[in-house]
Amino acid sequence: DIVMTQSPDSLAVSLGERATINCRSSQSVLYRPDNKNYLAWYQQRPGQPPKLLIYWASTRESGVPDRFRGSGSGTDFTLIISSLQAEDVAVYYCQQYHTTSWTFGQGTRVEIK
Amino acid sequence: EVQLVESGGALVQPGGSLRLSCEASGFTFSSYSMHWVRQAPGKGLEWVSYTSSSASSKLYADPVKGRFTISRDNAKNSLFLEMKSLRDGDTAMYYCARDRRSSSGWSVSYDAFDMWGQGTMVTVSS
């Protein structure tokens, strides 16, 4: 199975400041035939189910604010929240869907400093 | 309204069985592959099982293989997870989730999960 590792496990950011979350996969999630990275990001607010933010590593889901930006390719990916808002307090997960194990990272908790 | 609603979670003794249900509404359920994902208390997300839209392909995570069975009834817009020989480690919130794109159902689809239910809690304890 592909192992997804996120860093850091948690971070505290001031309102309006940037939050950066990293995700590394144990093998490439880039599928050469379509040149797409099979990598998604989810947000899980306290007491809520996960919500899809980003797919294909960098495509925002409909309705997701543009302060959320995904980037990266192959095995290294980043989620940036450009200007943290109070409603962004949550745990963020990366997930690979390149193989039939659909593995998630361990999660990164984002809090307000 | 487009939604998924899980039910069937309960407190069950080790070795027991349980059947979870997920009722879909607001979209053409029969056109989408579906998943079960679980989350132990205070822990991260763990994919559990997959079924293609036609139920021709079914997959399971290693920890549940041979004990859990996924099924669906497209006429009733419902997804199920039959759980047997339950263990302490199966204690979790169980979510059903939908693939982002519709698919033909004849092969495994590889996609992100764009819709999730609120979850149903399964507690395995004596």
Coordinates of all heavy atoms in Angstrom, one line a residue, chain B residues 14-94:
Chain B
P14 N -17.6 -8.1 21.3 CA -16.6 -8.7 20.5 C -17.1 -10.1 19.9 O -17.8 -10.8 20.7 CB -15.4 -8.9 21.4 CG -15.6 -7.8 22.4 CD -17.1 -7.7 22.6
G15 N -16.9 -10.3 18.6 CA -17.4 -11.5 18.0 C -18.8 -11.3 17.4 O -19.2 -12.2 16.7
G16 N -19.4 -10.2 17.7 CA -20.8 -10.0 17.2 C -20.8 -9.5 15.8 O -19.8 -9.3 15.1
S17 N -22.1 -9.2 15.3 CA -22.3 -8.8 13.9 C -23.1 -7.5 13.9 O -23.9 -7.2 14.9 CB -23.0 -9.9 13.2 OG -22.2 -11.1 13.1
L18 N -23.1 -6.8 12.8 CA -23.8 -5.6 12.6 C -24.0 -5.3 11.2 O -23.1 -5.7 10.4 CB -23.1 -4.5 13.3 CG -23.9 -3.3 13.9 CD1 -24.9 -3.8 14.9 CD2 -22.9 -2.3 14.6
R19 N -25.1 -4.7 10.8 CA -25.3 -4.3 9.4 C -25.5 -2.8 9.3 O -26.5 -2.3 9.9 CB -26.5 -5.0 8.8 CG -26.6 -4.8 7.3 CD -27.9 -5.3 6.7 NE -27.8 -5.5 5.3 CZ -28.9 -5.4 4.5 NH1 -30.1 -5.1 5.0 NH2 -28.8 -5.6 3.2
L20 N -24.6 -2.1 8.6 CA -24.8 -0.7 8.4 C -25.5 -0.4 7.1 O -25.3 -1.1 6.1 CB -23.4 0.0 8.4 CG -22.5 -0.3 9.6 CD1 -21.2 0.6 9.5 CD2 -23.2 0.0 10.9
S21 N -26.2 0.7 7.1 CA -26.9 1.1 5.9 C -26.5 2.6 5.6 O -26.2 3.4 6.5 CB -28.4 1.0 6.0 OG -28.8 -0.3 6.3
C22 N -26.6 2.9 4.3 CA -26.4 4.3 3.8 C -27.4 4.6 2.8 O -27.4 3.9 1.7 CB -25.0 4.4 3.3 SG -24.6 6.0 2.4
E23 N -28.3 5.5 3.0 CA -29.4 5.8 2.1 C -29.0 7.1 1.3 O -28.7 8.1 1.9 CB -30.7 6.0 2.8 CG -31.9 6.2 1.8 CD -33.2 6.2 2.5 OE1 -33.3 5.7 3.7 OE2 -34.2 6.7 1.9
A24 N -29.0 7.0 0.0 CA -28.6 8.1 -0.8 C -29.9 8.8 -1.4 O -30.9 8.2 -1.6 CB -27.8 7.7 -2.0
S25 N -29.8 10.1 -1.6 CA -30.9 10.9 -2.2 C -30.3 12.1 -2.9 O -29.2 12.6 -2.7 CB -31.9 11.3 -1.1 OG -31.3 12.1 -0.1
G26 N -31.1 12.5 -3.9 CA -30.7 13.7 -4.6 C -29.8 13.5 -5.8 O -29.4 14.5 -6.5
F27 N -29.4 12.3 -6.1 CA -28.5 12.0 -7.3 C -28.8 10.6 -7.7 O -29.5 9.8 -7.1 CB -27.1 12.2 -6.9 CG -26.5 11.3 -5.9 CD1 -25.8 10.1 -6.3 CD2 -26.6 11.5 -4.5 CE1 -25.3 9.2 -5.4 CE2 -26.1 10.6 -3.6 CZ -25.4 9.5 -4.0
T28 N -28.3 10.3 -8.9 CA -28.5 9.0 -9.5 C -27.5 8.0 -8.9 O -26.4 7.8 -9.4 CB -28.3 9.0 -11.0 OG1 -29.1 10.1 -11.6 CG2 -28.7 7.7 -11.7
F29 N -28.0 7.4 -7.8 CA -27.1 6.5 -7.0 C -26.5 5.4 -7.8 O -25.3 5.1 -7.7 CB -27.9 5.9 -5.8 CG -27.2 4.9 -5.0 CD1 -26.3 5.4 -4.1 CD2 -27.5 3.6 -5.0 CE1 -25.6 4.5 -3.2 CE2 -26.9 2.7 -4.2 CZ -25.9 3.1 -3.3
S30 N -27.2 4.8 -8.7 CA -26.8 3.7 -9.5 C -25.6 4.0 -10.5 O -25.0 3.1 -11.0 CB -27.9 3.1 -10.3 OG -28.4 4.1 -11.2
S31 N -25.3 5.3 -10.6 CA -24.2 5.7 -11.5 C -22.9 5.9 -10.8 O -21.9 6.3 -11.4 CB -24.6 7.0 -12.2 OG -25.7 6.8 -13.1
Y32 N -22.8 5.8 -9.5 CA -21.6 6.1 -8.7 C -21.1 4.9 -7.9 O -21.8 4.2 -7.3 CB -22.0 7.2 -7.7 CG -22.2 8.6 -8.4 CD1 -23.4 8.9 -8.9 CD2 -21.1 9.5 -8.5 CE1 -23.6 10.1 -9.6 CE2 -21.3 10.7 -9.1 CZ -22.5 11.0 -9.6 OH -22.7 12.2 -10.2
S33 N -19.8 4.8 -8.0 CA -19.1 3.9 -7.0 C -19.2 4.5 -5.6 O -19.2 5.7 -5.5 CB -17.6 3.8 -7.4 OG -17.5 3.1 -8.7
M34 N -19.2 3.6 -4.7 CA -19.3 4.1 -3.3 C -18.3 3.4 -2.4 O -17.7 2.3 -2.7 CB -20.7 3.7 -2.8 CG -21.9 4.4 -3.5 SD -21.9 6.1 -3.3 CE -22.3 6.2 -1.5
H35 N -18.0 4.0 -1.2 CA -17.0 3.5 -0.3 C -17.6 3.6 1.1 O -18.5 4.4 1.4 CB -15.8 4.4 -0.3 CG -15.1 4.6 -1.6 ND1 -14.0 3.8 -2.0 CD2 -15.4 5.3 -2.7 CE1 -13.6 4.2 -3.2 NE2 -14.5 5.1 -3.7
W36 N -17.0 2.8 2.0 CA -17.1 2.9 3.4 C -15.7 3.4 4.0 O -14.7 2.8 3.6 CB -17.5 1.7 4.1 CG -19.0 1.3 3.9 CD1 -19.5 0.5 3.0 CD2 -20.1 1.9 4.6 NE1 -20.9 0.4 3.1 CE2 -21.2 1.3 4.1 CE3 -20.2 2.8 5.7 CZ2 -22.5 1.6 4.5 CZ3 -21.5 3.1 6.1 CH2 -22.6 2.5 5.6
V37 N -15.7 4.4 4.8 CA -14.5 4.9 5.4 C -14.7 5.0 6.9 O -15.8 5.4 7.3 CB -14.1 6.3 4.9 CG1 -12.8 6.8 5.6 CG2 -13.9 6.2 3.4
R38 N -13.8 4.6 7.8 CA -14.0 4.6 9.2 C -13.0 5.5 9.9 O -11.9 5.8 9.3 CB -14.0 3.3 9.8 CG -12.7 2.5 9.8 CD -12.9 1.1 10.4 NE -11.6 0.4 10.4 CZ -11.5 -0.9 10.8 NH1 -12.6 -1.6 11.1 NH2 -10.3 -1.5 10.8
Q39 N -13.4 6.0 11.1 CA -12.5 6.8 11.9 C -12.6 6.4 13.3 O -13.7 6.7 14.0 CB -12.9 8.3 11.7 CG -11.9 9.3 12.3 CD -12.2 10.7 11.9 OE1 -13.4 11.1 11.6 NE2 -11.2 11.5 11.7
A40 N -11.6 5.8 13.9 CA -11.6 5.5 15.3 C -11.6 6.8 16.1 O -11.1 7.8 15.7 CB -10.4 4.6 15.6
P41 N -12.1 6.7 17.3 CA -12.2 8.0 18.2 C -10.8 8.6 18.3 O -9.8 8.0 18.7 CB -12.7 7.4 19.5 CG -13.5 6.2 19.2 CD -12.8 5.6 18.0
G42 N -10.8 9.9 17.9 CA -9.6 10.7 18.0 C -8.5 10.3 17.0 O -7.4 10.8 17.1
K43 N -8.8 9.5 16.0 CA -7.8 9.0 15.1 C -8.1 9.5 13.7 O -9.1 10.3 13.5 CB -7.7 7.5 15.1 CG -7.4 6.9 16.4 CD -6.1 7.3 16.9 CE -5.7 6.7 18.3 NZ -4.4 7.1 18.8
G44 N -7.3 9.1 12.7 CA -7.5 9.5 11.3 C -8.4 8.7 10.5 O -9.1 7.8 11.1
L45 N -8.5 8.9 9.3 CA -9.4 8.3 8.4 C -8.8 7.0 7.8 O -7.6 7.0 7.4 CB -9.8 9.2 7.2 CG -10.4 10.5 7.6 CD1 -10.5 11.5 6.4 CD2 -11.8 10.3 8.2
E46 N -9.6 6.0 7.7 CA -9.2 4.7 7.2 C -10.2 4.2 6.2 O -11.3 3.9 6.5 CB -9.0 3.6 8.3 CG -8.5 2.3 7.8 CD -8.5 1.2 8.9 OE1 -9.2 1.4 9.9 OE2 -7.8 0.2 8.8
W47 N -9.8 4.0 4.9 CA -10.7 3.4 3.9 C -10.9 1.9 4.3 O -10.0 1.2 4.7 CB -10.0 3.5 2.5 CG -10.8 2.7 1.5 CD1 -11.9 3.1 0.9 CD2 -10.5 1.4 1.0 NE1 -12.4 2.1 0.0 CE2 -11.5 1.1 0.1 CE3 -9.5 0.5 1.3 CZ2 -11.5 -0.2 -0.6 CZ3 -9.5 -0.7 0.6 CH2 -10.5 -1.1 -0.3
V48 N -12.2 1.5 4.1 CA -12.6 0.2 4.5 C -13.0 -0.7 3.3 O -12.6 -1.8 3.2 CB -13.8 0.3 5.5 CG1 -14.4 -1.1 5.8 CG2 -13.4 1.0 6.8
S49 N -13.9 -0.1 2.5 CA -14.4 -1.0 1.4 C -14.9 -0.1 0.2 O -15.3 1.0 0.4 CB -15.5 -1.9 1.9 OG -16.0 -2.8 1.0
Y50 N -15.0 -0.8 -0.9 CA -15.4 -0.1 -2.2 C -16.3 -1.0 -3.0 O -16.2 -2.3 -3.0 CB -14.2 0.2 -3.0 CG -14.4 0.4 -4.5 CD1 -14.6 1.7 -5.0 CD2 -14.5 -0.6 -5.4 CE1 -14.8 1.9 -6.3 CE2 -14.8 -0.4 -6.8 CZ -14.9 0.9 -7.2 OH -15.1 1.1 -8.6
T51 N -17.3 -0.4 -3.6 CA -18.1 -1.1 -4.6 C -18.3 -0.3 -5.8 O -18.6 0.9 -5.7 CB -19.5 -1.6 -4.0 OG1 -20.3 -2.2 -5.1 CG2 -20.3 -0.4 -3.5
S52 N -18.2 -0.9 -7.0 CA -18.4 -0.1 -8.2 C -19.9 0.1 -8.3 O -20.7 -0.4 -7.6 CB -17.9 -0.9 -9.4 OG -18.6 -2.2 -9.5
S53 N -20.3 0.9 -9.3 CA -21.7 1.3 -9.4 C -22.6 0.2 -9.7 O -23.8 0.1 -9.2 CB -21.8 2.4 -10.5 OG -21.4 1.9 -11.7
S54 N -22.1 -0.8 -10.4 CA -22.9 -2.0 -10.7 C -22.7 -3.1 -9.7 O -23.3 -4.2 -9.9 CB -22.6 -2.5 -12.1 OG -21.3 -3.0 -12.1
A55 N -21.8 -2.9 -8.8 CA -21.5 -4.0 -7.8 C -20.7 -5.1 -8.4 O -20.5 -6.1 -7.7 CB -22.7 -4.5 -7.1
S56 N -20.2 -4.9 -9.6 CA -19.4 -6.0 -10.2 C -18.0 -6.0 -9.6 O -17.3 -7.1 -9.7 CB -19.3 -5.7 -11.7 OG -18.7 -4.4 -12.0
S57 N -17.5 -4.9 -9.1 CA -16.2 -4.9 -8.4 C -16.4 -4.5 -6.9 O -17.0 -3.5 -6.6 CB -15.2 -3.9 -9.1 OG -15.0 -4.3 -10.4
K58 N -15.7 -5.3 -6.0 CA -15.8 -5.0 -4.6 C -14.4 -5.2 -4.0 O -13.7 -6.1 -4.4 CB -16.8 -5.9 -3.9 CG -18.2 -5.7 -4.4 CD -19.2 -6.7 -3.7 CE -20.6 -6.5 -4.2 NZ -21.5 -7.4 -3.5
L59 N -14.0 -4.3 -3.2 CA -12.7 -4.3 -2.6 C -12.7 -4.1 -1.1 O -13.6 -3.3 -0.6 CB -11.7 -3.3 -3.3 CG -11.5 -3.5 -4.8 CD1 -10.9 -2.3 -5.4 CD2 -10.6 -4.7 -5.0
Y60 N -11.7 -4.6 -0.4 CA -11.7 -4.5 1.1 C -10.3 -4.2 1.6 O -9.3 -4.6 1.0 CB -12.2 -5.8 1.7 CG -13.6 -6.2 1.3 CD1 -13.8 -7.0 0.2 CD2 -14.7 -5.7 2.0 CE1 -15.1 -7.3 -0.2 CE2 -16.0 -6.0 1.6 CZ -16.2 -6.9 0.5 OH -17.4 -7.2 0.1
A61 N -10.2 -3.4 2.6 CA -9.0 -3.2 3.3 C -8.6 -4.5 4.0 O -9.4 -5.3 4.4 CB -9.1 -2.0 4.3
D62 N -7.3 -4.7 4.1 CA -6.8 -6.0 4.7 C -7.4 -6.2 6.1 O -7.7 -7.4 6.4 CB -5.3 -6.0 4.8 CG -4.6 -6.2 3.4 OD1 -5.4 -6.6 2.5 OD2 -3.4 -5.9 3.3
P63 N -7.5 -5.2 7.0 CA -8.0 -5.5 8.4 C -9.4 -6.0 8.4 O -9.8 -6.6 9.4 CB -7.9 -4.2 9.1 CG -6.9 -3.4 8.3 CD -7.1 -3.8 6.9
V64 N -10.2 -5.9 7.3 CA -11.6 -6.3 7.4 C -11.9 -7.4 6.4 O -13.0 -7.9 6.4 CB -12.6 -5.1 7.1 CG1 -12.2 -3.9 8.1 CG2 -12.5 -4.6 5.7
K65 N -10.9 -7.7 5.6 CA -11.1 -8.8 4.5 C -11.5 -10.1 5.2 O -11.0 -10.5 6.2 CB -9.8 -8.9 3.7 CG -10.0 -9.4 2.3 CD -8.7 -9.3 1.6 CE -8.3 -7.9 1.3 NZ -7.1 -7.8 0.4
G66 N -12.6 -10.7 4.6 CA -13.1 -11.9 5.1 C -14.1 -11.8 6.3 O -14.8 -12.7 6.6
R67 N -14.2 -10.6 6.8 CA -15.2 -10.3 7.9 C -16.3 -9.4 7.5 O -17.4 -9.5 8.0 CB -14.5 -9.7 9.1 CG -13.4 -10.6 9.7 CD -12.8 -10.1 11.0 NE -12.2 -8.8 10.9 CZ -12.6 -7.7 11.5 NH1 -13.6 -7.7 12.3 NH2 -12.0 -6.5 11.3
F68 N -16.0 -8.4 6.6 CA -17.0 -7.4 6.2 C -17.4 -7.7 4.8 O -16.6 -8.2 3.9 CB -16.4 -6.0 6.3 CG -16.1 -5.5 7.6 CD1 -16.2 -6.3 8.8 CD2 -15.8 -4.1 7.8 CE1 -16.0 -5.8 10.0 CE2 -15.6 -3.6 9.1 CZ -15.7 -4.4 10.2
T69 N -18.6 -7.4 4.4 CA -19.1 -7.5 3.1 C -19.9 -6.3 2.7 O -20.8 -5.9 3.4 CB -20.1 -8.7 3.0 OG1 -19.4 -9.9 3.4 CG2 -20.6 -8.9 1.6
I70 N -19.5 -5.7 1.6 CA -20.2 -4.5 1.1 C -21.2 -5.0 0.0 O -21.0 -5.9 -0.7 CB -19.2 -3.5 0.5 CG1 -19.8 -2.2 0.2 CG2 -18.5 -4.1 -0.8 CD1 -18.8 -1.1 -0.2
S71 N -22.3 -4.3 0.0 CA -23.3 -4.6 -1.0 C -24.1 -3.3 -1.3 O -24.0 -2.3 -0.5 CB -24.3 -5.7 -0.6 OG -25.0 -5.3 0.6
R72 N -25.0 -3.3 -2.3 CA -25.8 -2.2 -2.6 C -27.1 -2.6 -3.3 O -27.1 -3.7 -3.9 CB -25.0 -1.2 -3.5 CG -24.7 -1.7 -4.9 CD -23.7 -0.8 -5.6 NE -24.3 0.5 -5.8 CZ -23.6 1.6 -6.1 NH1 -22.3 1.6 -6.2 NH2 -24.2 2.8 -6.4
D73 N -28.1 -1.8 -3.1 CA -29.4 -2.1 -3.8 C -29.7 -0.8 -4.6 O -30.2 0.2 -4.0 CB -30.5 -2.4 -2.7 CG -31.8 -2.7 -3.4 OD1 -32.0 -2.3 -4.5 OD2 -32.6 -3.3 -2.7
N74 N -29.4 -0.8 -5.8 CA -29.6 0.4 -6.6 C -31.0 0.8 -6.8 O -31.4 2.0 -6.9 CB -28.9 0.3 -8.0 CG -27.4 0.4 -7.9 OD1 -26.8 0.9 -6.9 ND2 -26.7 -0.1 -8.9
A75 N -31.9 -0.1 -6.7 CA -33.4 0.2 -6.8 C -33.8 0.9 -5.6 O -34.8 1.7 -5.7 CB -34.1 -1.1 -7.0
K76 N -33.1 0.7 -4.5 CA -33.5 1.4 -3.2 C -32.5 2.5 -2.8 O -32.6 3.0 -1.7 CB -33.7 0.4 -2.1 CG -34.8 -0.6 -2.3 CD -35.0 -1.6 -1.2 CE -36.2 -2.5 -1.4 NZ -36.4 -3.5 -0.3
N77 N -31.6 2.8 -3.7 CA -30.6 3.9 -3.4 C -29.9 3.6 -2.1 O -29.7 4.6 -1.3 CB -31.3 5.2 -3.4 CG -31.9 5.6 -4.8 OD1 -31.3 5.2 -5.8 ND2 -33.0 6.4 -4.8
S78 N -29.5 2.4 -1.9 CA -28.9 2.1 -0.6 C -27.6 1.3 -0.7 O -27.5 0.4 -1.6 CB -29.9 1.3 0.3 OG -31.0 2.1 0.6
L79 N -26.7 1.6 0.2 CA -25.4 0.9 0.4 C -25.4 0.3 1.7 O -26.0 0.8 2.7 CB -24.3 2.0 0.3 CG -22.9 1.5 0.5 CD1 -22.4 0.7 -0.7 CD2 -22.0 2.7 0.7
F80 N -24.8 -0.9 1.8 CA -24.7 -1.7 3.0 C -23.3 -2.1 3.4 O -22.5 -2.2 2.5 CB -25.6 -2.9 3.0 CG -27.0 -2.6 2.5 CD1 -27.5 -2.8 1.2 CD2 -27.9 -2.1 3.5 CE1 -28.8 -2.5 0.8 CE2 -29.2 -1.7 3.1 CZ -29.6 -1.9 1.8
L81 N -23.1 -2.3 4.7 CA -21.8 -3.0 5.1 C -22.2 -4.0 6.2 O -22.7 -3.6 7.3 CB -20.9 -2.0 5.7 CG -19.5 -2.5 6.0 CD1 -18.7 -2.9 4.7 CD2 -18.6 -1.5 6.8
E82 N -22.0 -5.3 5.8 CA -22.3 -6.4 6.7 C -21.0 -6.6 7.5 O -20.0 -6.9 6.8 CB -22.7 -7.6 6.0 CG -23.3 -8.7 6.8 CD -24.8 -8.4 7.2 OE1 -25.5 -7.9 6.4 OE2 -25.1 -8.7 8.4
M83 N -21.0 -6.6 8.8 CA -19.8 -6.7 9.6 C -20.0 -7.9 10.5 O -20.9 -8.0 11.3 CB -19.6 -5.4 10.4 CG -19.7 -4.1 9.6 SD -20.0 -2.7 10.6 CE -18.4 -2.5 11.4
K84 N -19.0 -8.8 10.5 CA -19.1 -10.0 11.3 C -17.7 -10.2 12.1 O -16.8 -9.5 11.8 CB -19.3 -11.3 10.4 CG -20.6 -11.3 9.7 CD -20.8 -12.5 8.9 CE -22.1 -12.5 8.2 NZ -22.4 -13.7 7.4
S85 N -17.8 -11.0 13.1 CA -16.6 -11.2 13.9 C -15.9 -9.9 14.4 O -14.7 -9.7 14.2 CB -15.6 -12.1 13.2 OG -16.1 -13.3 12.8
L86 N -16.7 -9.0 14.9 CA -16.3 -7.7 15.2 C -15.3 -7.7 16.4 O -15.3 -8.6 17.3 CB -17.4 -6.8 15.6 CG -18.2 -6.3 14.4 CD1 -19.6 -5.8 14.7 CD2 -17.4 -5.2 13.6
R87 N -14.3 -6.8 16.3 CA -13.2 -6.7 17.2 C -13.2 -5.4 17.9 O -13.7 -4.4 17.3 CB -11.9 -7.0 16.5 CG -11.8 -8.3 15.7 CD -10.6 -8.2 14.8 NE -10.5 -9.5 14.0 CZ -9.7 -9.6 12.9 NH1 -8.9 -8.6 12.5 NH2 -9.6 -10.8 12.3
D88 N -12.4 -5.2 19.0 CA -12.3 -3.9 19.6 C -11.8 -2.9 18.6 O -12.2 -1.7 18.6 CB -11.3 -4.0 20.8 CG -11.8 -4.8 21.9 OD1 -13.0 -5.2 21.9 OD2 -11.1 -5.0 22.9
G89 N -10.9 -3.3 17.7 CA -10.2 -2.4 16.8 C -11.2 -1.9 15.7 O -10.8 -1.0 14.9
D90 N -12.4 -2.5 15.6 CA -13.4 -2.0 14.7 C -14.2 -0.8 15.2 O -15.0 -0.3 14.4 CB -14.3 -3.1 14.3 CG -13.6 -4.3 13.6 OD1 -12.7 -4.0 12.7 OD2 -13.9 -5.5 13.9
T91 N -14.0 -0.5 16.5 CA -14.7 0.6 17.0 C -14.4 1.9 16.3 O -13.2 2.3 16.2 CB -14.4 0.8 18.5 OG1 -14.9 -0.3 19.2 CG2 -15.0 2.1 19.1
A92 N -15.4 2.6 15.8 CA -15.1 3.7 14.9 C -16.4 4.4 14.5 O -17.5 3.7 14.5 CB -14.3 3.4 13.7
M93 N -16.3 5.6 14.0 CA -17.4 6.2 13.2 C -17.3 5.7 11.8 O -16.2 5.7 11.2 CB -17.3 7.7 13.2 CG -18.4 8.4 12.5 SD -20.0 8.3 13.4 CE -19.7 9.6 14.6
Y94 N -18.4 5.2 11.2 CA -18.3 4.7 9.8 C -19.1 5.6 8.9 O -20.2 6.0 9.2 CB -19.0 3.3 9.8 CG -18.0 2.2 10.3 CD1 -17.8 2.1 11.7 CD2 -17.4 1.3 9.5 CE1 -16.9 1.1 12.2 CE2 -16.5 0.4 10.0 CZ -16.3 0.3 11.3 OH -15.4 -0.7 11.8

